[in-house]
Amino acid sequence: MSKSDLYPVDPAIAARAHMDSAAYDAARVAAREEPDRYWSEVAKRLDWSRFPTKIKDVSFDKADFHIRWFEDGELNVAYNCVDRHLAERANETAIIWEGDDPADDARITFAELHEQVCRMANVLKSNGVKKGDRVTLYLPMIPAAAYAMLACARIGAVHSVVFGGFSPDSLAGRIEDCGSRIVITADEGRRGGKKVPLKANVDEALKKVAVDTVIVVSHTGGAIDWVEGRDVRYEEAAAAASPECPCEPMNAEDPLFILYTSGSTGKPKGVLHTTGGYLLWASWTQAMVFDYRPGEVFWCTADVGWVTGHTYVVYGALANAATTLMFEGVPNYPDVSRFWQVVDKHKVDIFYTAPTALRALMREGDEPVKSASRKSLRLLGTVGEPINPEAWRWYHEVVGDGRLPIVDTWWQTETGGALIAPLPGATDLKPGSATKPLPGVELEIVDAEGRPLEGAVEGGLCITDSWPGQMRTVYGDHQRFFDTYFSTYPGKYFTGDGCRRDEDGYYWITGRLDDVLNVSGHRMGTAEIESALVSHDDVAEAAVVGFPHDIKGQGVYAYVTLNADVQPSEDLRRALVAHVRKEIGPIASPDVIQWAPGLPKTRSGKIMRRILRKIAENDVTSLGDTSTLADPSVVDDLVRNRAQSQ
Ligand code: WTA
């Protein structure tokens, strides 16, 4: 790599940063060698009703598997995100809301946030919600989503936020899995000038699974059906509720939320995060990685339906008294300059988005960016998928006018917050690399047998020790938690990602090693899409793989075997795409469907995805060994068919 590919830390940034490179090096050593002392010190950034004396108690070994942090500590997340800021910042802005329509916006102070969270909490209580109960949230990107999350945290209820783009079926599955008896939704959402029928989707979902109560926030005022006795008008209930609600003291290891995410097999897993460790990781990483200081406007463009929205729109930001910007819309509505107009309008200091959005905007040229001043910006960030160096440079040169550092943050729903990321005052940048692990994050790159590899190497990315923000279990299935993450390489957490480490110790994520797709930064299991396809009456079998896609990063390529009496047609192709959208949601739509009279299987019946991936990538000259297939001629048919179908 040439020297020009290194972007050194700006000394002016280092001088004011929370951590410079000496502090980073010292923190790495301290967190590794004296974790109890180090994390006990960091834990002081939160307000505890009982400060923990036990800090870290972890074993990744099968015989004694447990992960506990701050286990005798007691705190409340809503108190930390709202109440404790009131003394000094009651009238400062906690949330800037920017609607889908550029004419819609709002500013919510910490005092207002406090009142709204208390009212929502009292509405939940008066509808029977108690500590430990699960509450499903299916909301657009409006302040009520943050109120609802914090209201649950305030009373010790466990929220499960379901992304508003998921279908009624997906919503029903998530309600059922966590056994929630209550759903908070809105009449409709708005995205890119279109309405999203949230309440209608909830009604549809509730044909499959019953709940006692649906709280409906009025957002667009659109017409909705009403079920007497079940549905509650939020505004009426909130007006009647008290604006004060005490915070429930929670043990550090009490659950805070469940968030469903896709894995290689089976249904989405309910990733469970707890109170103390998660909040500490969210708050500390928001401060360190973005070098955040109160008064700055922080804009993370993620939806609260994903972990990035949980950690950086809501919890990490508000725990640090940040002014957090919540954006309801999309990057290209009303036009492709929207992000930069919003940056100017609200004087955004820090902007954090996904590579897929950048790649889409990059195609539109520099003018839509240059038409906005962006002079308030001082830091850029990315998350969700590897950023190709070309997009990184465009982000730096055009959006950042060549002056703004970029923090490329690698993490997962399971990790609670960023684990590999540069610190603006400490880490020289390399385009395309998430750079180095944060203090307390002990990485290992392993070969297929799990042997640690030293130096500049490529392999599977593992983490050998716990950090406070680590997930604690899969809701309702602790065995699955262990099996999924700790059984591949005993004694280590396996991330599922491939990774290269270069000669300078920088980490380069190469993508998933398992059957998880990353489409526009959204995680999806191939198995989920396959089972949606197979649930169509005309489909006998399906296999789904990813293929490189210019904008989305990965696209969805589906091989479909139809029932014997069914003929392929354009209509059927469209019907299958619509079927997947209905079963899972638009984000799972197949980009390509190839009719496959047969699928390449081993003699034991296992589909050889390696071959299907190669065909999808149009890399058919190196299909490798096909001799173990039950019927090798299937492959020739698929290759020939591909040529015809493209
Ligand atoms: C990928 C999102 C490269 C990775 C926070 C990971 C990334 C998966 C990056 C988790 C990045 C996330 N560079 N790859 N900066 N960030 N990924 O659970 O494959 O939605 O395992 O969490 O996204 O996706 P998830």
Side-chain angles (χ1 to χ4, degrees):
M1 166 174 309
S2 72
K3 282 285 174 225
S4 62
D5 274 335
L6 195 69
Y7 291 70
V9 172
D10 177 342
I13 293 175
R16 57 146 267 176
H18 289 308
M19 264 198 212
D20 61 12
S21 78
Y24 167 74
D25 291 342
R28 291 271 307 146
V29 173
R32 181 184 307 132
E33 292 178 0
E34 297 175 275
D36 285 5
R37 195 188 56 74
Y38 185 77
W39 293 111
S40 167
E41 201 52 39
V42 174
K44 291 182 184 157
R45 59 183 300 114
L46 300 181
D47 277 25
W48 303 76
S49 48
R50 187 186 144 121
F51 194 80
T53 63
K54 297 184 184 164
I55 306 300
K56 180 185 177 200
D57 181 7
V58 174
S59 163
F60 286 176
D61 289 336
K62 188 170 187 174
D64 181 32
F65 180 65
H66 64 277
I67 302 168
R68 287 181 218 121
W69 284 89
F70 314 115
E71 61 188 285
D72 61 348
E74 201 180 83
L75 75 168
N76 182 280
V77 167
Y79 181 86
N80 275 278
C81 291
V82 186
D83 301 49
R84 67 166 170 161
H85 308 315
L86 292 176
E88 283 183 27
R89 305 180 191 281
N91 298 318
E92 289 179 17
T93 305
I95 299 176
I96 298 175
W97 178 70
E98 170 76 13
D100 185 53
D101 181 333
D104 289 341
D105 60 17
R107 295 178 86 89
I108 292 108
T109 65
F110 280 99
E112 289 162 344
L113 179 62
H114 177 259
E115 174 175 340
Q116 297 295 341
V117 171
C118 286
R119 287 188 189 275
M120 180 76 86
N122 285 322
V123 170
L124 290 175
K125 276 185 175 176
S126 64
N127 282 284
V129 177
K130 295 190 190 57
K131 180 173 176 174
D133 289 351
R134 278 80 55 218
V135 177
T136 299
L137 274 50
Y138 187 65
L139 284 160
M141 278 291 280
I142 56 175
Y147 305 159
M149 292 164 77
L150 291 163
C152 290
R154 196 169 190 89
I155 63 173
V158 181
H159 61 69
S160 160
V161 182
V162 178
F163 173 57
F166 277 122
S167 67
D169 279 0
S170 300
L171 174 63
R174 285 158 170 78
I175 292 171
E176 189 164 33
D177 185 83
C178 73
S180 64
R181 308 292 311 164
I182 182 162
V183 178
I184 309 178
T185 189
D187 46 8
E188 296 171 314
R190 284 197 182 95
R191 267 172 81 82
K194 297 194 195 91
K195 298 209 171 142
V196 186
L198 296 172
K199 171 63 163 65
N201 286 350
V202 171
D203 291 339
E204 190 63 31
L206 295 184
K207 290 180 184 161
K208 299 205 162 159
V209 54
V211 300
D212 303 325
T213 310
V214 178
I215 295 178
V216 186
V217 175
S218 166
H219 178 45
T220 65
I224 49 174
D225 291 339
W226 201 257
V227 178
E228 284 305 333
R230 185 196 73 183
D231 297 352
V232 174
R233 280 191 181 77
Y234 177 67
E235 289 70 21
E236 282 172 22
S242 161
E244 292 292 338
C245 173
C247 290
E248 187 75 29
M250 303 296 286
N251 181 273
E253 284 297 346
D254 281 339
L256 176 63
F257 66 82
I258 299 165
L259 183 58
Y260 287 86
T261 193
S262 299
S264 349
T265 54
K267 289 188 306 179
K269 296 184 283 287
V271 168
L272 185 124
H273 281 286
T274 58
T275 300
Y278 170 80
L279 188 67
L280 188 70
W281 198 259
S283 150
W284 182 71
T285 57
Q286 199 269 347
M288 296 304 142
V289 173
F290 301 99
D291 201 32
Y292 184 79
R293 250 154 267 265
E296 294 180 328
V297 177
F298 181 78
W299 183 13
C300 164
T301 67
D303 192 285
V304 291
W306 309 109
V307 75
T308 310
H310 281 60
T311 301
Y312 295 113
V313 176
V314 180
Y315 290 120
L318 292 174
N320 295 339
T323 300
T324 183
L325 195 149
M326 268 183 110
F327 177 43
E328 186 187 18
V330 295
N332 58 358
Y333 177 82
D335 58 57
V336 291
S337 200
R338 185 70 190 279
F339 271 174
W340 325 118
Q341 288 161 6
V342 175
V343 164
D344 281 1
K345 178 179 177 187
H346 297 297
K347 306 207 167 33
V348 172
D349 293 87
I350 302 165
F351 177 75
Y352 184 38
T353 197
T356 185
L358 297 172
R359 286 192 299 265
L361 294 175
M362 197 167 111
R363 268 205 322 195
E364 307 288 341
D366 301 354
E367 180 45 37
V369 184
K370 298 288 181 194
S371 66
S373 93
R374 292 155 287 115
K375 67 175 190 299
S376 58
L377 288 173
R378 66 162 190 79
L379 185 72
L380 303 173
T382 72
V383 59
E385 48 177 322
I387 180 164
N388 42 315
E390 194 195 358
W392 194 101
R393 287 198 188 87
W394 182 82
Y395 199 25
H396 179 70
E397 298 302 332
V398 180
V399 178
D401 286 326
R403 69 184 171 93
L404 304 180
I406 298 175
V407 291
D408 174 355
T409 62
W410 175 87
W411 57 294
Q412 311 179 294
T413 306
E414 294 88 338
T415 71
L419 293 196
I420 309 179
L423 301 179
T427 321
D428 298 339
L429 305 174
K430 295 186 185 190
S433 168
T435 75
K436 296 184 185 178
L438 297 183
V441 177
E442 300 301 332
L443 303 177
E444 206 168 75
I445 294 183
V446 301
D447 67 12
E449 279 73 49
R451 284 184 295 255
L453 302 169
E454 301 297 328
V457 288
E458 184 169 337
L461 182 65
C462 292
I463 309 176
T464 56
D465 201 351
S466 184
W467 63 99
Q470 182 168 28
M471 73 182 281
R472 299 296 194 265
T473 193
V474 170
Y475 185 79
D477 198 347
H478 199 57
Q479 188 62 41
R480 189 171 175 202
F481 176 50
F482 181 85
D483 292 346
T484 305
Y485 303 101
F486 301 91
S487 67
T488 318
Y489 302 118
K492 299 166 196 178
Y493 170 88
F494 178 47
T495 63
D497 279 2
C499 185
R500 179 167 73 79
R501 184 170 49 216
D502 71 16
E503 56 287 355
D504 299 324
Y506 277 55
Y507 289 81
W508 303 73
I509 303 294
T510 55
R512 300 288 306 193
L513 295 175
D514 53 13
D515 293 322
V516 171
L517 305 182
N518 191 330
V519 179
S520 301
H522 298 147
R523 241 170 100 163
M524 248 162 316
T526 50
E528 285 167 71
I529 308 176
E530 286 161 6
S531 77
L533 285 165
V534 173
S535 72
H536 190 279
D537 284 346
D538 294 338
V539 175
E541 201 168 21
V544 168
V545 296
F547 71 102
H549 187 286
D550 285 347
I551 305 291
K552 299 180 179 184
Q554 267 188 315
V556 177
Y557 196 114
Y559 296 87
V560 172
T561 309
L562 296 171
N563 287 330
D565 54 342
V566 179
Q567 287 306 311
S569 70
E570 268 318 298
D571 282 348
L572 183 54
R573 195 191 299 270
R574 274 193 291 275
L576 291 183
V577 172
H579 184 70
V580 173
R581 292 170 73 96
K582 180 184 149 296
E583 292 284 310
I584 304 176
I587 56 170
S589 303
D591 296 281
V592 181
I593 291 181
Q594 176 172 343
W595 308 119
L599 291 169
K601 289 186 188 163
T602 59
R603 287 189 195 94
S604 60
K606 197 166 171 337
I607 294 177
M608 284 188 85
R609 287 166 188 283
R610 178 176 56 79
I611 293 175
L612 294 177
R613 263 185 231 120
K614 293 267 186 198
I615 299 173
E617 287 164 13
N618 210 5
D619 182 11
V620 292
T621 49
S622 57
L623 290 178
D625 183 11
T626 55
S627 61
T628 55
L629 290 176
D631 177 7
S633 75
V634 164
V635 175
D636 300 332
D637 285 346
L638 288 178
V639 171
R640 211 173 315 116
N641 260 318
R642 180 182 205 284
Q644 286 163 4
S645 65
Q646 297 302 300

